[in-house]
Structures are given as structure tokens and as C-alpha cells.
Amino acid sequence: MSRMQRSTIDAASLTCPVETAYLGPSEYGSQHQDQAPVLLLHGFDSSSLEFRRLLPLLERRLEAWAVDLVGWGFSDSGAASQSNMKLGPKQKRDHLYAFWKEKIKRPMIVVGTSLGGAIAMDFALEYPEAVKKLVLVDAQGFIDGLGPWRVAPKFLINLLVQVLKSTAIRKYAGDLAYKDKALATDDALLIGRLHTYLSGWAEANIAFIQSGGYSLSKRIPLVQQECLVVWGRNDKILKPEYAEQFSQVLPKSKLVWVENCGHCPHLEQPQALADCIVDFALTAKALQVPSSY
């Protein structure tokens, strides 16, 4: 992850350029230019560091990218110096499209984890020319919006954001995310909180909450790309019933279970997830992969 770099990206709905943090292909990337590139999208208030175990396994076999979405991770949205900046789904979608046009430039396989799955579907619906296939990993999609927080006073949203930053909440979320609790280490906690110390972190999250978040449940059946739904069998954050629901409503989908795994297969069972993604990416016949790993 020492390869993380920044590039200035201009997006249509954003009022200033975004210093965009991303991980580009390794030295092996040039060997895979005849294949669709893979882009990894992190979840809510996270960063590409959550792919620290998955990306090295992918990039020897595929051209692999990861990007920090505007308002999250190590991408600088400029929110610290701009009051009332909008950083909702539209801005994240436009930022991702501008990044794709600038860096990747050809149809890709988008892998979205948790809320990153909703972001991936939203992007595929708006910009189908950019997305060849989707991989949804323990994905959010059927829980619409952010409830009453959208209309809450700003001072209350600010209090919520500060609570989300706290060590106690982050530790609780980490414990909940894994089946193997030994993986919820102090180092994992520090990595997960690192981006929260950047200037503009609180303002960017307040802006996202005020946007109302993602509401995709009625649009999920409209996704036309082939979709691989991957789910940790022991997920305690997004219940496994959602996996079955995705496989029922997505018109071109395959469900794969990852055994002995919670909400984060990319951290808890990275080899199984990498094998799953590579099989899906390289197979000539759509969705011909095992049903469990």
C-alpha cells in the first residue's frame, strides 16, 4: 500500500478539483491489458487500505485498481474550506466517472464491498458503458437512505460523526465485522481510523449524511451487467438473507458463499475472494464459478 498516490480529478458536480487517492496497477499490470481491469470500491467512511490483503493477490493475475471515493479515505474533497459542500451519491458517482475517464479508460469489473456495493450498482446504472461486470461483496442495497438523520440539525449530525470516529465505536464495528475475532487487532483499528485525522473528514461526512445517502432497492432489478454476489456465511452486519435477495432480483447473477467468514471477506478470507474474482473475471462463460469457497 506504499504505492498509494494522488491525482487531481475534476468532476462535473463538484465545485473544486479532488486530490484523489488511488492505487494503480503494479508492475504486472501491463501483462493483463487484454483483460478487463478490476476496480475495488471501499465501503462507508473507509479507504483503499481495507484492500491491503486482497489487492496483492489480485494484481499478479489481473490489472487491479483501488480508489478512495470523494469525501472518504485519503481523497481531499476540499470540504474543510467550503461550507455547505454537496457530497452525496451524485458527487461520488461523478467523481468515480471522472476518475475512470482519466485513468482506466475501458470497461471494468467493479468490486464493491458493503456500501461500496451500492455505489457500484448506482454507478453501473448511470454509466453502463464503464462497467463490464459487478462483484458485490456483502453489499448494501436493500436498506434505503439514512432515516431521520438527513433532516437532523447540523450540530446533531456533527455529534454523530464524532461518535463514529471514536475508538469505542470503531472497535465495536471491528469486532462485529469478523467471525475470527483474533483479526480485530489494535493495528486493524488504527488502520481503519487513520483517514479520520485528515482535514475535512468531519465536514465531508456531515455533507454525505445530509444528502440522505443511497436509495437503490427499487432500481436493483434494472442492473443489466453480470453480477457475482459474494457473501460471508457468518456476516453479522448485513444478514445473509440479503445475499439470497440479491440473487433473486438481479437478472444476471450468481451467489457465492465464503465459509467461516463475517462481513469482510477481503480481510478475513482474501485468498478465497481473490480466487472468486479472478474466476469470474477470466471465464469466457458467464458465472461459471463454484457456489462456495
Side-chain angles (χ1 to χ4, degrees), residues 221-280:
L222 302 178
V223 174
Q224 293 303 307
Q225 289 86 350
E226 295 173 1
C227 298
L228 185 63
V229 180
V230 184
W231 220 270
R233 182 77 75 175
N234 309 103
D235 192 342
K236 301 298 184 185
I237 293 178
L238 291 173
K239 57 187 180 181
E241 287 85 350
Y242 286 128
E244 301 283 0
Q245 196 171 353
F246 272 119
S247 68
Q248 291 167 7
V249 304
L250 285 166
K252 302 174 186 177
S253 65
K254 171 78 173 183
L255 172 59
V256 174
W257 295 102
V258 181
E259 305 297 337
N260 299 309
C261 186
H263 184 62
C264 300
H266 49 298
L267 288 167
E268 193 162 11
Q269 298 286 358
Q271 187 65 64
L273 180 57
D275 290 345
C276 189
I277 292 170
V278 171
D279 287 347
F280 182 56

Side-chain angles (χ1 to χ4, degrees), residues 26-215:
S26 70
E27 65 270 23
Y28 303 101
S30 61
Q31 302 173 17
H32 307 296
Q33 292 184 351
D34 58 334
Q35 303 158 1
V38 172
L39 176 66
L40 306 177
L41 297 182
H42 60 76
F44 171 75
D45 187 31
S46 186
S47 78
S48 295
L49 293 182
E50 72 174 64
F51 300 116
R52 60 192 179 275
R53 294 175 186 155
L54 176 64
L55 189 63
L57 300 175
L58 288 177
E59 59 189 4
R60 287 181 177 269
R61 296 186 279 175
L62 298 168
E63 180 184 320
W65 300 72
V67 64
D68 286 2
L69 297 161
V70 61
W72 290 330
F74 299 93
S75 289
D76 185 358
S77 65
S81 60
Q82 297 190 58
S83 60
N84 301 316
M85 187 177 190
K86 294 184 182 299
L87 283 174
K90 176 174 174 53
Q91 288 72 36
K92 294 184 187 299
R93 183 172 63 239
D94 289 352
H95 172 243
L96 182 55
Y97 182 66
F99 176 82
W100 172 76
K101 286 185 67 178
E102 174 76 19
K103 297 295 182 183
I104 302 178
K105 303 178 182 178
R106 64 192 200 276
M108 57 188 175
I109 298 168
V110 183
V111 180
T113 62
S114 196
L115 186 62
I119 295 167
M121 288 184 286
D122 178 68
F123 183 77
L125 287 166
E126 186 71 19
Y127 299 112
E129 71 275 14
V131 182
K132 182 177 181 181
K133 296 181 179 180
L134 289 170
V135 180
L136 307 176
V137 183
D138 292 73
Q140 162 69 300
F142 294 105
I143 303 171
D144 287 338
L146 297 171
W149 283 106
R150 178 179 183 176
V151 295
K154 188 172 182 178
F155 81 91
L156 283 181
I157 299 175
N158 183 58
L159 287 175
L160 172 65
V161 167
Q162 296 307 318
V163 170
L164 291 175
K165 183 179 181 178
S166 69
T167 300
I169 291 297
R170 297 271 171 168
K171 186 176 188 308
Y172 173 75
D175 290 342
L176 199 61
Y178 296 110
K179 181 179 186 294
D180 181 359
K181 305 305 181 186
L183 292 171
T185 63
D186 290 343
D187 282 348
L189 176 65
L190 291 172
I191 291 169
R193 295 184 72 223
L194 189 59
H195 64 281
T196 69
Y197 293 98
L198 297 184
S199 175
W201 171 83
E203 291 85 354
N205 275 285
I206 289 169
F208 176 73
I209 292 170
Q210 289 178 322
S211 78
Y214 287 84
S215 295

